[in-house]
Every structure is written in C-alpha cells, then in structure tokens.
Amino acid sequence: MLNGDTRIIAHVGYPTTTFKSPMIYNPWFEKRGINAAVVPLGVKSEDFARAFPEICRFTNFHGALITMPHKVAVIGLIDEVSTAVKVAGSCNAVRRNAEGRLVGDMFDGEGFVRGMARHGRSLKGKKVLVVGSGGVGSAIAASCAAAGAAEIGLYDVSDAAMAALARRLRQNYPQLKVATGANDPTEFDVVVNATPLGMKAGDPMPIDVSRLTPSTYVGEVVMKQETTAFLAAARARGCETQIGIDMLFEQIPAYLEFFGFPSATPLELREVAEVDY
C-alpha cells in the first residue's frame, strides 16, 4: 500500500503501455515489506527537458528508471555518470545521492553479462559480435568490455552509430580490439542480436544463422516473445541461447543495489513477477 513514506522510483518514458518493470519490482517490494514503488510516468520527448528536473525535486523521489525515448537526453540533466554511460552514450537509471546530486548508470548491458554468468559463461578473453549499435547494443558492448572481452565486433545499418560506438569503446578501453562493418558470426564466441529484428513476424535474421557454429553463445534482446525466430534458428544449429527477458530479470538485482535496496536473485523476482508476453 502506498503512503506518505513511500519511496518513489519514477519509470519515465513514452509510451508506457509496454512497461514491464512495475510488474516485477512492485510485487517484490510488497513481498519483502519494502515501502517503495515503481510508478510509470509518461513523458513525451518535447516535454522531457522540462519535466524530468521537476520530477527529481519531489521530496519522496528516490530515483528513476529511464526508458525510450529519453536514455540519451537524460545525460544532460544529471550530475555524474558511470563509465558504462560514457561508452553506451545512454543512461537508464538515475538516483539522488546523499548530497542531492543526480547520479546516472546504465544496466542493460549488465543484465546481459549477468545472464551469461548464470549460464556458466565468462566473457574474459572472448570475441563478441554485437549486431545493433543503438542504446541497448551500445550498453551490451560497454558491459562486455568491462567484463574482459578481448575483441568486440560491431555491426549496424547506421555507419555513424557504429563508428561512434567504436570510438567510445576505444577511448574508454584502449586495450580492446574493436572491429566494425561485418556481421559474419563465424569467428565469434558470443553473438548478440541487439536490434529490433524479431519484433514482427517475417523480420529478416540479424545475421546469416547458417554460419553459426554450435559452440557460439547466442543472445537476444527482443522480448516480444520468449523464443524468437532468431533464437529458434540458433538452437537448431546447436547453440546455447539466452532469451531477451533474461536480460531484464538479471539487471534488476543490479538496479536494486544501485538504489540501495536489499539484493535479490532473478529466481526470487521471477517467482512473484506478474509479467506476461
């Protein structure tokens, strides 16, 4: 039950109809007896620069989950950012610290990396192909670099987005080998679809699946359905796969730590979540 002492985490984006986080966080808060709530707030792009600072002034504002289309714009409205934000060029979490400063971080990629770890896979020394250099792809690339990947291949239909991400990776991880412009998965240990391909029936594959080797670990960010056509095709090649919703459940423990709440496991979160497809 909400009351005057409830700590509010604003889930800010537009449109709000696809938001899944309130259906995961709030049942868990209730189960643990934590007086906090994730509240969806629909804010259009043209209103964000004016609205977000006002939201942060609420006395019961504890932090914010930032989603599309505001993950880039929010960077100019906060005081401090993490290395993940610098590389990704976007931010999806903001908290107000004890000094009243707004601190931003990015957890999309952390969720993917934690998901791999839960599958017993390490990124240390691995070659990773990230298809898609938008917000999610950039975040995954940033977290893979932080986890010790030796090489990251980038591919995007936008040369500018791909080149910008490559530049940010090289600036923040000088030892990392970064390649751009090819989506052939043959030589890679890990392949991630970080594009919207798979959201709609009949979408083309993000890569030539016939070139996957069975030892390749294949990840997906699309959450429209649990097993996308891409993941089904990868499994048919003998690959171990990671579904898109795993990234969401795996990153929430990192969010909880960031916001100063007790830790949780993805299993605990799944047991009480009210998410459906």
Side-chain angles (χ1 to χ4, degrees):
M1 179 182 293
L2 299 178
N3 60 36
D5 295 319
T6 303
R7 288 172 285 179
I8 298 298
I9 298 175
H11 191 178
V12 185
Y14 184 82
T16 60
T17 53
T18 59
F19 285 9
K20 297 186 186 299
S21 292
M23 297 180 287
I24 302 172
Y25 284 88
N26 292 338
W28 185 79
F29 286 148
E30 183 176 0
K31 181 181 179 181
R32 294 291 296 267
I34 296 170
N35 195 357
V38 172
V39 180
L41 297 179
V43 181
K44 294 182 178 180
S45 295
E46 60 267 29
D47 299 320
F48 183 70
R50 183 173 68 255
F52 186 69
E54 296 300 323
I55 292 168
C56 296
R57 291 190 180 99
F58 295 162
T59 58
N60 57 344
F61 172 84
H62 188 72
L65 306 175
I66 309 296
T67 191
M68 295 302 291
H70 308 311
K71 292 183 181 182
V72 175
V74 73
I75 296 173
L77 302 174
I78 57 181
D79 302 305
E80 301 175 25
V81 299
S82 66
T83 299
V85 171
K86 293 176 183 176
V87 175
S90 60
C91 168
N92 69 354
V94 175
R95 64 179 169 84
R96 185 167 56 198
N97 68 14
E99 292 75 41
R101 292 172 63 79
L102 297 176
V103 180
D105 211 331
M106 166 53 76
F107 294 109
D108 282 345
E110 179 69 12
F112 179 78
V113 169
R114 289 188 183 208
M116 281 194 63
R118 194 165 297 279
H119 282 84
R121 296 286 191 123
S122 169
L123 280 155
K124 189 75 173 178
K126 297 297 191 296
K127 298 174 66 175
V128 183
L129 174 62
V130 181
V131 183
S133 297
V136 175
S138 296
I140 290 173
S143 291
C144 289
E151 179 179 344
I152 295 179
L154 304 175
Y155 181 80
D156 196 279
V157 293
S158 168
D159 289 338
M162 185 169 54
L165 174 55
R167 183 173 62 254
R168 296 192 301 268
L169 281 167
R170 291 173 180 132
Q171 287 172 346
N172 288 275
Y173 295 96
Q175 78 288 356
L176 179 69
K177 181 179 179 182
V178 181
T180 61
N183 65 344
D184 183 347
T186 307
E187 300 297 323
F188 290 93
D189 304 299
V190 180
V191 174
V192 189
N193 173 37
T195 77
L197 294 174
M199 290 286 289
K200 296 179 295 190
D203 277 348
M205 293 288 175
I207 62 166
D208 181 351
V209 181
S210 69
R211 299 185 67 81
L212 285 170
T213 57
S215 62
T216 305
Y217 186 87
V218 178
E220 173 73 275
V221 303
V222 172
M223 301 183 198
K224 182 74 172 178
Q225 57 194 44
E226 183 166 308
T227 302
T228 62
F230 174 57
L231 289 185
R235 289 174 186 172
R237 297 284 300 171
C239 300
E240 185 177 5
T241 62
Q242 181 171 315
I243 63 175
I245 200 75
D246 276 355
M247 188 175 71
L248 179 60
F249 277 101
E250 291 287 349
Q251 69 183 276
I252 289 178
Y255 275 116
L256 292 170
E257 294 161 17
F258 176 72
F259 288 127
F261 292 117
S263 61
T265 67
L267 179 59
E268 290 169 342
L269 293 163
R270 285 179 184 272
E271 286 176 346
V272 297
E274 299 171 0
V275 174
D276 54 24
Y277 287 93

